[in-house]
């Protein structure tokens, strides 16, 4: 079931990301994976189409839209397979599908037995996968929680052990509320985490949902995302734009609470400050104005978000083909390995218009 069909999908998503991924793997499970979910055997999920997204030209003669070596996947999308089969068989499948990178949502391996961070790093690299980033919680009421606010040193130690270039959070900056000053306080936190990450040779980043594009409760003419950008140091705090949620934000918050127009284009944020967006989540959705969020999440290539246009606009910038990383994601895919395979196929098929 798609996350956006839940009563509060963004809250559900944020809470579930706080749990470390559990994993159970063995020879029998690996054999089952090879028999049931190889690229040749995996079938499109029920209810999906095999067509391409509006505005794309797969199979054309132009240069590939997706830069080589830059396709990753957020492992949250594959949490069901990681928890039942293990990292090793999942990484083997991702290698077959042509992925270059992985973004973690936890490092544990459950009943498959303990795995050290050094072993996890070697396992990814042995399948040609570069560990590019990881999502960790922002804060918690539990003083022992594995979050930036409660255990910054441990979070950064682990990221460094994995050789990550980026370490971030999918939590939003509402820790202190939804006023301008509340977001300034959150920005101060993020600057602190960014400075600590930079001292380790990493970049701290924040991943958006649609609520970041809402308006301050004490000044409804101010968009909160603009506060975050203005109050964080551009050399310390970076952004991972979740493109699906950004366009959902556009649908929800293109008018202020009083009804006056406040249009914005998510891509423009990136084009104005491309250096602040090293990472992206490539997540697709079918336009549905009757839905609270404006879209129904679907596999990449089955929706209405024009990824040929978006990725091309970013990669055409000076240095754009090497400065950004594109992570496929679906919060609740009907069949996660099928989603991973089809997303890679679609994104690799996109060609620049001649």
């Amino acid at each position: 079931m798609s996350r956006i069909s839940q009563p509060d999908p963004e809250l559900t998503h944020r809470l579930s990301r706080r749990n470390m991924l559990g994993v159970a793997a063995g020879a029998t499970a690996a054999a089952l994976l090879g028999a049931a979910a190889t690229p040749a055997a995996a079938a499109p999920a029920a209810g999906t189409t095999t067509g391409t997204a509006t505005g794309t030209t797969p199979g054309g003669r132009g240069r590939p839209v997706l830069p080589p070596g830059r396709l990753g996947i957020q492992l949250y999308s594959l949490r069901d397979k990681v928890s039942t089969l293990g990292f090793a068989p999942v990484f083997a499948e991702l290698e077959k599908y042509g992925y270059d990178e992985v973004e973690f949502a936890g490092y544990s391996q459950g009943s498959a037995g303990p795995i050290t961070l050094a072993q996890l790093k070697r396992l990814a690299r042995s399948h040609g996968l570069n560990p590019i980033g990881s999502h960790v919680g922002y804060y918690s009421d539990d003083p022992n929680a594995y979050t930036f606010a409660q255990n910054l040193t441990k979070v950064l130690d682990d990221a460094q052990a994995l050789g990550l270039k980026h370490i971030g959070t999918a939590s939003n900056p509402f820790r202190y509320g939804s006023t301008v000053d509340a977001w300034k306080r959150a920005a101060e936190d993020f600057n602190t985490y960014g400075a600590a990450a930079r001292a380790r040779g990493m970049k701290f980043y924040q991943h958006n949902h649609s609520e970041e594009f809402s308006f301050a409760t004490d000044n409804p003419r101010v968009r909160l995302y603009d506060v975050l950008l203005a109050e964080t140091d551009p050399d310390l705090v970076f952004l991972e734009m979740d493109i699906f949620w950004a366009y959902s934000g556009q649908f929800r918050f293109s008018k202020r609470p009083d009804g006056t127009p406040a249009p914005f284009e998510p891509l423009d944020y990136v084009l104005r400050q491309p250096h602040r967006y090293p990472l992206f989540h490539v997540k697709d959705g079918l336009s549905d104005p009757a839905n609270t969020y404006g879209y129904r999440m679907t596999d990449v290539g089955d929706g209405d978000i024009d990824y040929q246009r978006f990725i091309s606009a970013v990669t055409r910038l000076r240095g754009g083909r090497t400065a950004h990383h594109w992570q496929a994601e679906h919060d609740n895919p009907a069949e996660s390995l099928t989603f991973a395979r089809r997303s890679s196929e679609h994104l690799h098929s996109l060609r620049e218009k001649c």
Side-chain angles (χ1 to χ4, degrees):
M1 180 179 294
S2 172
R3 187 178 99 212
I4 59 178
S5 66
Q6 301 301 315
D8 189 349
E10 295 192 33
L11 177 60
T12 301
H13 178 73
R14 292 194 293 271
L15 291 175
S16 58
R17 278 187 186 275
R18 293 176 186 172
N19 298 323
M20 301 298 283
L21 289 173
V23 183
T28 302
L32 176 62
L33 176 61
T38 61
T48 62
T49 65
T50 57
T52 59
T54 302
T56 62
T57 55
R61 297 181 180 179
R63 181 177 69 168
V65 168
L66 187 72
R70 285 296 189 268
L71 179 60
I73 191 166
Q74 166 52 254
L75 292 172
Y76 181 78
S77 304
L78 296 164
R79 62 194 181 278
D80 62 325
K81 294 298 189 294
V82 174
S83 66
T84 56
L85 300 172
F87 282 111
V90 169
F91 286 172
E93 292 302 298
L94 294 177
E95 182 180 18
K96 292 177 186 176
Y97 301 163
Y99 282 93
D100 309 297
E101 301 173 336
V102 288
E103 183 183 33
F104 288 101
Y107 317 127
S108 63
Q109 212 175 241
S111 59
I115 184 170
T116 67
L117 296 176
Q119 290 170 333
L120 185 54
K121 177 183 177 181
R122 287 196 298 271
L123 180 62
R125 294 288 173 85
S126 72
H127 290 288
L129 299 169
N130 178 31
I132 192 64
S134 182
H135 283 187
V136 177
Y138 168 18
Y139 68 95
S140 171
D141 293 332
D142 179 359
N144 298 313
Y146 189 78
T147 65
F148 283 95
Q150 277 68 42
N151 277 291
L152 177 60
T153 299
K154 174 61 174 172
V155 167
L156 296 180
D157 284 347
D158 290 351
Q160 200 164 23
L162 282 166
L164 301 181
K165 294 180 180 178
H166 309 84
I167 179 68
T169 184
S171 303
N172 61 44
F174 286 100
R175 178 181 186 182
Y176 306 108
S178 55
T179 65
V180 171
D181 283 344
W183 275 53
K184 287 182 177 180
R185 288 184 65 190
E188 290 177 4
D189 288 347
F190 286 5
N191 285 332
T192 298
Y193 309 150
R198 186 171 72 169
R200 307 276 196 115
M202 295 178 286
K203 292 180 178 180
F204 169 79
Y205 65 96
Q206 193 267 344
H207 161 287
N208 66 274
H209 293 85
S210 65
E211 289 290 342
E212 281 86 335
F213 298 96
S214 63
F215 299 93
T217 53
D218 61 333
N219 188 345
R221 299 195 65 81
V222 175
R223 194 180 302 280
L224 289 171
Y225 195 67
D226 294 337
V227 177
L228 179 67
L229 286 170
E231 297 296 327
T232 50
D233 187 329
D235 293 325
L236 299 178
V237 177
F238 299 86
L239 293 308
E240 177 179 59
M241 179 172 281
D242 185 301
I243 300 171
F244 171 92
W245 285 118
Y247 279 104
S248 173
Q250 181 192 58
F251 173 83
R252 300 180 66 193
F253 303 112
S254 284
K255 291 183 179 180
R256 298 183 181 89
D258 64 2
T260 57
F264 73 95
E265 166 56 52
L267 178 58
D268 288 345
Y269 278 105
V270 182
L271 299 183
R272 285 194 293 265
Q273 299 187 70
H275 67 285
R276 297 203 71 179
Y277 292 88
L279 305 174
F280 294 88
H281 274 190
V282 180
K283 183 186 300 180
D284 215 343
L286 289 164
S287 178
D288 182 3
N291 187 293
T292 300
Y293 296 93
Y295 293 87
R296 289 180 287 111
M297 204 175 292
T298 189
D299 289 357
V300 178
D302 287 342
D304 296 310
I305 297 177
D306 189 346
Y307 279 107
Q308 182 198 51
R309 168 182 170 267
F310 195 101
I311 299 174
S312 290
V314 176
T315 57
R316 284 172 185 158
L317 298 170
R318 184 175 181 178
R321 291 185 72 80
T322 57
H324 309 282
H325 305 262
W326 307 89
Q327 315 297 308
E329 187 185 35
H330 190 313
D331 295 349
N332 287 296
E335 209 297 312
S336 59
L337 284 170
T338 299
F339 154 76
R341 175 181 58 81
R342 297 181 72 237
S343 296
S344 176
E345 288 173 353
H346 175 75
L347 291 168
H348 279 111
S349 77
L350 298 180
R351 295 291 183 271
E352 299 280 3
K353 293 180 179 179
C354 297

